[in-house]
Amino acid sequence: MGYFYFARHGQTVWNVANKICGATDIELTELGHQQAAELGEEILRQGLHIDEILYSPLVRAAETARHVSEINQVPMREEPRLKEQNFGKYESTPRNGTEFAEAKTHFIYDYDGGETMLHLAQRIYNLLDDIKAESDEKVYLLVAHNGISRVIESYFRNMENEEFARFGIKNCEIRRYDF
């Protein structure tokens, strides 16, 4: 069976400010650009085979993918399904807010104008099913967001709701997933 890699984007201005980015298009910091370049160098150092990079349309992921692509000479393509969840009224609010923490445990709540966790899971699971169908022919690197990492992790293993809500990876961390 095949496999793919997933990496979270580099540090953003709102990561530093401890704000929820969600679907808001927030730029990388200088450190975020450096982290993305280091991710590209690490992929090169490890000799990881990647045929194509698929990235979220949000600038923080697109810029991270660009750095990796340039360093590794791997083509990249925008994948709209990798866009981070829209957290509605919680966009730009503190990441550790108690109201938001409670709201995240309600998987069919759209955050008053955002996207439900179930809708997010549907689009990511559909993407993963598509990648799985091609995985014997092509190895992808997906560059996206922390919320996307949760859903990808849940595709591969059972998780309790609280564990799902707490799950996350660091900026520019890379993981391999085997189908």
Side-chain angles (χ1 to χ4, degrees), residues 5-7 39 43 48 50 141 169 172-176:
Y5 296 98
F6 176 85
L39 171 62
I43 289 168
L48 301 181
I50 297 168
L141 167 63
I169 66 172
C172 288
E173 181 178 336
I174 187 168
R175 291 185 175 215
R176 176 179 162 153

Side-chain angles (χ1 to χ4, degrees), residues 79-93:
E79 172 47 72
R81 292 177 287 183
L82 286 172
K83 186 174 185 178
E84 178 64 293
Q85 183 175 9
N86 183 331
F87 292 110
K89 69 180 185 177
Y90 296 106
E91 301 266 325
S92 84
T93 65

Side-chain angles (χ1 to χ4, degrees), residues 89-118:
K89 69 180 185 177
Y90 296 106
E91 301 266 325
S92 84
T93 65
R95 290 178 58 89
N96 55 353
T98 55
E99 185 181 334
F100 177 64
E102 172 63 24
K104 278 183 16 180
T105 67
H106 303 286
F107 289 177
I108 56 173
Y109 175 53
D110 75 357
Y111 309 104
D112 296 337
E115 180 180 25
T116 71
M117 194 66 69
L118 293 180

Side-chain angles (χ1 to χ4, degrees), residues 7 14 18 23 27 36 41 57 64 81 85 93 112 120 123 135 138 152 154-155 165 173:
W14 281 10
N18 198 36
E27 296 275 343
E41 293 293 338
T64 301
R81 292 177 287 183
Q85 183 175 9
T93 65
D112 296 337
L120 171 67
R123 71 177 158 89
S135 67
K138 205 169 194 180
I152 290 173
S154 75
Y155 184 91
E173 181 178 336

Side-chain angles (χ1 to χ4, degrees), residues 3-178:
Y3 64 95
F4 70 94
Y5 296 98
F6 176 85
R8 184 180 175 198
H9 60 77
Q11 182 191 69
T12 69
V13 176
W14 281 10
N15 290 152
V16 173
N18 198 36
K19 292 182 178 181
I20 298 166
C21 295
T24 305
D25 213 4
I26 304 300
E27 296 275 343
L28 294 176
T29 62
E30 186 176 320
L31 175 59
H33 283 283
Q34 180 183 335
Q35 289 170 328
E38 289 170 359
L39 171 62
E41 293 293 338
E42 182 62 19
I43 289 168
L44 193 63
R45 187 187 69 70
Q46 289 186 30
L48 301 181
H49 173 79
I50 297 168
D51 294 304
E52 187 175 18
I53 300 168
L54 302 179
Y55 64 93
S56 159
L58 297 175
V59 68
R60 58 193 184 265
E63 283 294 291
T64 301
R66 181 183 61 78
H67 286 292
V68 174
S69 174
E70 289 174 355
I71 291 167
N72 289 275
Q73 301 300 302
V74 174
M76 56 186 265
R77 174 171 44 103
E78 183 179 291
E79 172 47 72
R81 292 177 287 183
L82 286 172
K83 186 174 185 178
E84 178 64 293
Q85 183 175 9
N86 183 331
F87 292 110
K89 69 180 185 177
Y90 296 106
E91 301 266 325
S92 84
T93 65
R95 290 178 58 89
N96 55 353
T98 55
E99 185 181 334
F100 177 64
E102 172 63 24
K104 278 183 16 180
T105 67
H106 303 286
F107 289 177
I108 56 173
Y109 175 53
D110 75 357
Y111 309 104
D112 296 337
E115 180 180 25
T116 71
M117 194 66 69
L118 293 180
H119 284 111
L120 171 67
Q122 177 186 21
R123 71 177 158 89
I124 298 303
Y125 283 12
N126 289 346
L127 172 62
L128 294 176
D129 287 344
D130 290 348
I131 290 171
K132 183 178 181 180
E134 298 177 19
S135 67
D136 288 337
E137 302 158 17
K138 205 169 194 180
V139 177
Y140 291 102
L141 167 63
L142 310 183
V143 179
H145 311 277
N146 206 30
I148 304 303
S149 76
R150 279 185 203 98
V151 177
I152 290 173
E153 188 75 11
S154 75
Y155 184 91
F156 290 92
R157 68 180 181 93
N158 291 328
M159 301 170 83
E160 298 289 331
N161 289 357
E162 294 79 20
E163 180 186 10
F164 177 86
R166 283 191 319 269
F167 182 85
I169 66 172
K170 297 175 187 163
N171 293 108
C172 288
E173 181 178 336
I174 187 168
R175 291 185 175 215
R176 176 179 162 153
Y177 289 93
D178 293 274

